[in-house]
Amino acid sequence: MTKQIFAFPAEQASELMQQWVETMVVGLNLCPFAAPEVRNNTIRYAVSAAERLETAAEDFLGELSNIQAKEEGELSTTLVSFTHCVADFDAFLDLLDLCQDLLEQAGLEGVFQLASFHPNYCFSGVPEGDISNWTNRAPFPTIHIIREGQMSRVLVHYKNPDEIPERNMALMETLGKEGLIKRFPPLAAYWESSSAGDD
């Protein structure tokens, strides 16, 4: 039996990620184009049980191929969560780099772009325990495949899009640990382990 390496069982990944998107990302307006896709049910919550980096990358490629084959109205964006590997944030960054290389090799740079989330997410130059890191902390390591054209169309109508990251970080500071847990109770189960890091 594979050891559980995250705060939640792998079987809960899809459900928890959907709850996280709806409660945190949409509920706090962390992403300006997420709400319509939630309403339209055009977000795919994919789960990879890969235990090795290479296999995880293959699963990513499969999801990239899947979204490429679908119309935007049917599938607008995909979140690929990894439940059995890259518990370490640095290992996750290696996977993210590998997936970015694969995206470029497929000639899809400019068509799709990647965003990333992890239970131990830490921005470069920011202390690990800083609450601003929680803008990108999610129940499982996740690579978000975004349609670049779709995002560009939405951001045209969004005032000062370059200020979104700073606004989100300021919101984390305002809410604090207690406020975040109150909004999304599952955060309590992995707050300490996320701050300490996983092996």
Side-chain angles (χ1 to χ4, degrees):
M1 182 176 180
T2 303
K3 178 184 177 183
Q4 181 178 324
I5 60 175
F6 297 106
F8 306 103
E11 293 77 14
Q12 296 181 11
S14 180
E15 178 183 356
L16 273 174
M17 288 304 299
Q18 183 172 353
Q19 290 178 5
W20 176 76
V21 167
E22 294 176 358
T23 304
M24 298 293 290
V25 179
V26 174
L28 294 177
N29 195 31
L30 299 180
C31 174
F33 59 87
E37 309 317 320
V38 168
R39 288 195 299 269
N40 295 333
N41 196 30
T42 54
I43 301 176
R44 174 170 165 77
Y45 298 93
V47 178
S48 166
E51 297 185 7
R52 299 174 62 248
L53 210 63
E54 295 79 6
T55 311
E58 290 174 3
D59 288 345
F60 163 79
L61 273 179
E63 292 300 331
L64 183 62
S65 177
N66 183 49
I67 193 172
Q68 187 183 9
K70 300 290 179 61
E71 296 293 331
E72 183 180 311
E74 180 183 2
L75 176 58
S76 63
T77 192
T78 298
L79 289 93
V80 190
S81 297
F82 301 91
T83 58
H84 291 82
C85 66
V86 293
D88 178 79
F89 183 55
D90 288 334
F92 175 69
L93 292 180
D94 289 340
L95 174 61
L96 181 63
D97 286 344
L98 178 55
C99 290
Q100 181 62 41
D101 288 344
L102 292 170
L103 178 72
E104 294 172 9
Q105 291 170 19
L108 295 174
E109 188 178 19
V111 179
F112 297 101
Q113 64 177 255
L114 307 181
S116 57
F117 306 95
H118 192 280
N120 300 326
Y121 200 99
C122 187
F123 290 104
S124 178
V126 176
E128 190 173 344
D130 196 293
I131 199 167
S132 65
N133 292 315
W134 285 83
T135 62
N136 284 58
R137 290 192 175 180
F140 290 91
T142 299
I143 293 179
H144 185 189
I145 305 173
I146 302 167
R147 294 182 187 268
E148 195 161 306
Q150 179 188 21
M151 184 174 67
S152 297
R153 291 196 307 274
V154 173
L155 292 180
V156 165
H157 303 288
Y158 195 88
K159 186 178 180 180
N160 302 321
D162 292 340
E163 297 178 2
I164 293 173
E166 291 184 5
R167 181 193 69 83
N168 290 346
M169 290 179 181
L171 179 59
M172 297 296 107
E173 294 283 354
T174 300
L175 289 171
K177 174 181 176 179
E178 292 76 14
L180 288 171
I181 291 174
K182 182 178 180 180
R183 177 168 288 273
F184 187 57
L187 289 178
Y190 71 101
W191 185 284
E192 294 303 328
S193 62
S194 297
S195 298
D198 289 301
D199 295 326

